[in-house]
Amino acid sequence: MKKTPLVAAINDLSGYGHCSLTVVMPILSVMGFQCCPLPTAILSNHTGYESYFFQDYTEHLTEYLAEWQKLELNFAAVYTGFLGSEKQADIVGAFIRDVKKRAGENKPLIFVDPVLGDNGKPYITCTPEICESMKELVRQADVITPNITEACLLLDKEYCGERIDETAALKLVKELASLGSGQVVLTGVRSKAGMLANLAFDASQNHFYWVEEPAVEPYYNGAGDVFSAVLCGSLLAGLDMQSALEKSAFFVYLAAKDTAAAGASIRDGVMFEKYLKML
Ligand code: PXL
């Protein structure tokens, strides 16, 4: 019997609203990984609501990680999402280097979801400094999963709108690859009427991947978190990029369709729980 592989999930804990750790943890668990959270911030609910409690967790990260170091944990992957402050990039960056060193030949998967904004707007907590910090993490990643807003923020480009055609989307993933991550996945692209595309570029193979599903409206908060968590679990389980994209996109589509049918609020996120067992 092999030990359950460990994934360090570096993300905020938002108590309500289907995002970040409350999404990543159940998804990676059901996919067969022990998901070990490192909270970057603690919120009552995510920042898409008018009111929320927010506590930045930066000052505790070093002590927290020192205890993990004593335990000599070997992580199969590091998944990072929302950062609570710009200082966290240095701490997380050092942790990633340490995980890589410990793993040696068994290269861990460094999966960075650069959570910065959506629909052309940076999240309220996303300062220019946090954006710069995220660029540092992206450099260390094997896989990154920005949406178009995040892609433009990472590239210091003017926001080009959610609706971009295939040529523009492919150009954008190539530009993102120049930031240093081996595989770039661009999520939630409104490529043509009624469709939602997720595409990827593998820099080492010079290969593009493209997956489309019918778009479910509205595009729920945290849908990107659900997509990225399933993608990370699928890649770790050994699926190739095309199959991993298909699995992730289909999972989000099914759960979002149910969420829309239930008339849920866009802010309450995707009701994915019923579908966990199909992962
Ligand atoms: O789903 C992205 C996300 C993650 N974490 C926090 C957020 C958001 C989006 O609003 O506010 C705290």
Side-chain angles (χ1 to χ4, degrees), residues 4-7 9 21-37 229-230 232-234 236 272 276-277 279:
T4 308
L6 304 184
V7 180
L21 285 175
T22 63
V23 166
V24 178
M25 292 185 69
I27 288 177
L28 287 178
S29 291
V30 83
M31 295 180 87
F33 303 96
Q34 183 182 346
C35 186
C36 306
V230 180
C232 179
S234 304
L236 272 175
F272 62 85
L276 280 174
K277 52 184 167 296
L279 292 174

Side-chain angles (χ1 to χ4, degrees), residues 11-12 14 18-20 41 43 45-48 54 82 115 123 125 150 221-225:
N11 215 332
D12 68 275
S14 285
H18 280 126
C19 73
S20 320
L43 294 90
N45 45 282
H46 64 68
T47 63
F54 176 95
F82 178 94
V115 175
Y123 295 130
T125 49
E150 291 159 345
N221 272 338
D225 298 12

Side-chain angles (χ1 to χ4, degrees), residues 195-230:
M195 299 303 279
L196 194 75
N198 292 287
L199 60 141
F201 176 59
D202 185 324
S204 67
Q205 317 240 349
N206 198 26
H207 194 83
F208 289 107
Y209 305 84
W210 184 277
V211 168
E212 260 178 359
E213 294 286 345
V216 177
E217 296 299 344
Y219 190 69
Y220 291 95
N221 272 338
D225 298 12
V226 177
F227 178 87
S228 293
V230 180

Side-chain angles (χ1 to χ4, degrees), residues 91-271:
I91 302 169
V92 173
F95 171 69
I96 290 173
R97 281 191 289 279
D98 191 53
V99 167
K100 283 184 178 171
K101 205 161 100 194
R102 285 190 61 79
E105 301 278 280
N106 309 320
K107 283 190 176 302
L109 175 69
I110 309 301
F111 191 105
V112 173
D113 182 12
V115 175
L116 295 170
D118 207 357
N119 289 311
K121 290 197 208 81
Y123 295 130
I124 196 161
T125 49
C126 171
T127 59
E129 291 78 19
I130 287 194
C131 204
E132 285 308 308
S133 299
M134 198 60 93
K135 289 182 194 165
E136 282 169 40
L137 279 190
V138 161
R139 254 173 244 131
Q140 296 192 50
D142 298 310
V143 181
I144 59 169
T145 55
N147 57 32
I148 293 181
T149 306
E150 291 159 345
C152 293
L153 286 167
L154 288 171
L155 292 167
D156 295 312
K157 269 171 112 75
E158 196 145 324
Y159 177 58
C160 51
E162 289 304 309
R163 188 150 208 164
I164 58 172
D165 65 16
E166 197 167 326
T167 315
L170 297 180
K171 185 164 171 278
L172 204 52
V173 275
K174 266 200 155 171
E175 283 174 33
L176 285 163
S178 69
L179 298 179
S181 137
Q183 294 183 304
V184 172
V185 179
L186 189 63
T187 65
V189 177
R190 274 73 152 187
S191 51
K192 51 173 106 81
M195 299 303 279
L196 194 75
N198 292 287
L199 60 141
F201 176 59
D202 185 324
S204 67
Q205 317 240 349
N206 198 26
H207 194 83
F208 289 107
Y209 305 84
W210 184 277
V211 168
E212 260 178 359
E213 294 286 345
V216 177
E217 296 299 344
Y219 190 69
Y220 291 95
N221 272 338
D225 298 12
V226 177
F227 178 87
S228 293
V230 180
L231 186 73
C232 179
S234 304
L235 293 172
L236 272 175
L239 289 194
D240 58 51
M241 181 55 90
Q242 181 70 27
S243 314
L245 286 175
E246 285 168 9
K247 183 168 180 158
S248 317
F250 187 55
F251 182 79
V252 176
Y253 165 70
L254 285 180
K257 207 151 69 82
D258 266 16
T259 311
S265 141
I266 183 169
R267 295 188 299 196
D268 294 346
V270 184
M271 293 162 29

